[in-house]
Amino acid sequence: MNVIISNKNKDILDKLDIEVIKRLDGEYVVDELVDIFQNFFFNKMIVDITAIKNYQDMRNIQKFSISFDMNKVIFLLDPTSLSANPDYLSKLISMGIYNFTTNLEGLVYLYSNPNSYRDVAQYHSLDSLIIADDASSVSNEVVKPEPVDLVQEVEELPQESPASKNIRKRVIGVKSVTPGAGATTLVYLMKKQLEKKYKVLAVEIEKRDFIYFDDKSLLSLSNGVIGEILNTNEDKDVILVDLNGSPNAINFCNDVLYLIEPSIIKINRLLSIKPKILNELKGKKVVLCPSMLTDKDVKDFEFESNLKVFCNLHPVDDHSKSDEIAKLLNKLGL
């Protein structure tokens, strides 16, 4: 079942032929919508952007995007307002909002064929430059450009850049080398433990897995805005980044943890896909996670892989403080 929130463009939404479990008409502040729908199960939420009070202020849209799964939300933009210009669209994309249109046909299409970043990448400005051809090219059609290659395969390991050495804060990236090694959960647990002593920010790139932790301070971002987030969070002592294969965000990190689940099946699968991966990991901070290996097993692993293990992280209870996480943080000097 679906949710519709309409206002100025009510006539368009009245023609949308979908099953609706709840509908609101009028103008609402974001907090009102969050109170109504945050724990409300729905398939899709179709939002007339003019129904969000002061939608021209991107802080309100950002608050909305953090509160809901943007993969389930389709925005109906107003072609006669600010919301349809290229700069506004680029800012939407920076927040992970990829599904937007100005007409009924676009809503119908996006309902069954949701966009990913690659579908809207040509409209995304990474440094305030307008990438779209012009505003009219966007305002009357569904955004469906030619795909671009955004996200690398999980096994690809770009070299860290020294560009971040001038950043005073600690920016620590976490990357799952073997799929499912738990980078997202580890970032969350590190954040929970660190925030007792430090000002901490935790972000994930190009995914929205953080929503399952029910913590509004966690940020889900697109690849192009990590630099802006760092610049606007100078007060933070530590920023933790779930990299998710981002070729850009890794360049801002002072340290990167590379997570390997040391099970036979995960290691052999990794080597079959990328035979030279162990050579690429030499000299990097390799964390075995989750690991049931003993100290002797770790020495055997280091000998066989020719790698130095930075930390052997055993499974932890994510409901309470963990000595294992404290051990890792201590190794990082935190």
Side-chain angles (χ1 to χ4, degrees):
M1 301 294 281
N2 306 289
V3 168
I4 288 180
I5 305 172
S6 70
N7 187 36
K8 182 178 176 180
N9 296 297
K10 180 178 180 296
D11 291 345
I12 295 177
L13 293 171
D14 286 343
K15 299 174 184 177
L16 192 60
D17 185 20
I18 59 174
E19 293 186 3
V20 177
I21 191 172
K22 190 173 182 66
R23 175 167 179 155
L24 298 179
D25 295 302
E27 189 179 56
Y28 300 86
V29 297
V30 173
D31 289 339
E32 290 179 298
L33 297 175
V34 172
D35 289 342
I36 295 170
F37 292 110
Q38 190 170 42
N39 297 314
F40 193 91
F41 178 80
F42 55 85
N43 179 34
K44 296 288 185 182
M45 177 185 284
I46 294 85
V47 182
D48 176 354
I49 201 164
T50 67
I52 298 177
K53 189 171 183 178
N54 295 326
Y55 68 88
Q56 299 91 341
D57 186 340
M58 297 308 296
R59 290 174 295 184
N60 291 320
I61 303 301
Q62 182 181 38
K63 183 186 293 187
F64 186 92
S65 72
I66 292 171
S67 302
F68 299 102
D69 181 356
M70 290 299 100
N71 292 320
K72 293 184 176 183
V73 176
I74 304 172
F75 276 105
L76 178 61
L77 306 181
D78 184 0
T80 65
S81 74
L82 171 70
S83 69
N85 75 39
D87 183 60
Y88 193 91
L89 295 183
S90 182
K91 291 176 180 177
L92 290 180
I93 295 167
S94 294
M95 296 176 190
I97 299 171
Y98 307 144
N99 294 296
F100 46 81
T101 184
T102 60
N103 53 51
L104 178 63
E105 293 76 14
L107 292 175
V108 172
Y109 181 86
L110 290 173
Y111 183 83
S112 301
N113 304 275
N115 282 337
S116 64
Y117 177 83
R118 66 180 59 206
D119 299 312
V120 295
Q122 74 174 26
Y123 298 101
H124 191 199
S125 168
L126 299 184
D127 52 7
S128 300
L129 296 175
I130 302 305
I131 298 179
D133 290 337
D134 54 54
S136 61
S137 69
V138 179
S139 62
N140 293 314
E141 62 181 2
V142 186
V143 179
K144 206 67 180 172
E146 291 297 317
V148 297
D149 187 13
L150 170 71
V151 182
Q152 295 180 330
E153 294 296 325
V154 67
E155 294 83 7
E156 292 186 19
L157 299 170
Q159 297 295 313
E160 288 113 326
S161 164
S164 63
K165 289 183 178 178
N166 293 325
I167 300 175
R168 292 187 297 275
K169 66 176 72 66
R170 290 289 298 276
V171 183
I172 301 172
V174 182
K175 177 182 177 63
S176 291
V177 179
T178 54
T184 304
T185 299
L186 181 57
V187 166
Y188 171 73
L189 294 176
M190 292 169 67
K191 182 250 186 189
K192 295 297 288 184
Q193 204 134 320
L194 282 171
E195 63 188 1
K196 298 171 184 176
K197 297 195 302 180
Y198 301 96
K199 293 180 181 179
V200 185
L201 177 68
V203 303
E204 63 175 345
I205 309 299
E206 292 301 331
K207 288 192 177 181
R208 296 190 61 82
D209 294 332
F210 274 168
I211 62 172
Y212 302 112
F213 290 118
D214 194 26
D215 183 340
K216 293 181 181 179
S217 68
L218 301 170
L219 298 183
S220 301
L221 308 172
S222 65
N223 184 65
V225 299
I226 182 64
E228 179 181 348
I229 292 300
L230 292 179
N231 291 333
T232 57
N233 282 276
E234 285 295 332
D235 62 315
K236 299 298 187 296
D237 301 311
V238 182
I239 296 182
L240 303 169
V241 186
D242 180 3
L243 293 166
N244 288 316
S246 167
N248 181 42
I250 198 171
N251 295 322
F252 294 94
C253 298
N254 305 108
D255 286 303
V256 178
L257 303 179
Y258 293 94
L259 309 188
I260 295 179
E261 182 179 337
S263 64
I264 293 174
I265 188 170
K266 289 295 183 70
I267 295 294
N268 287 343
R269 179 182 181 276
L270 176 65
L271 292 175
S272 69
I273 296 172
K274 195 165 181 70
K276 298 181 179 179
I277 186 66
L278 297 181
N279 287 330
E280 296 177 21
L281 287 170
K282 285 183 179 178
K284 302 183 186 298
K285 288 183 170 66
V286 174
V287 177
L288 303 183
C289 174
S291 170
M292 295 298 294
L293 299 186
T294 65
D295 291 343
K296 180 181 181 303
D297 294 331
V298 172
K299 292 185 182 299
D300 291 340
F301 176 88
E302 290 180 326
F303 177 78
E304 294 172 2
S305 64
N306 200 24
L307 294 175
K308 179 65 177 176
V309 172
F310 180 71
C311 186
N312 183 38
L313 197 63
H314 297 298
V316 302
D317 179 2
D318 59 5
H319 291 87
S320 60
K321 182 178 178 180
S322 167
D323 291 338
E324 289 293 315
I325 301 299
K327 176 178 70 174
L328 175 60
L329 295 175
N330 183 60
K331 285 179 174 289
L332 288 166
L334 295 168

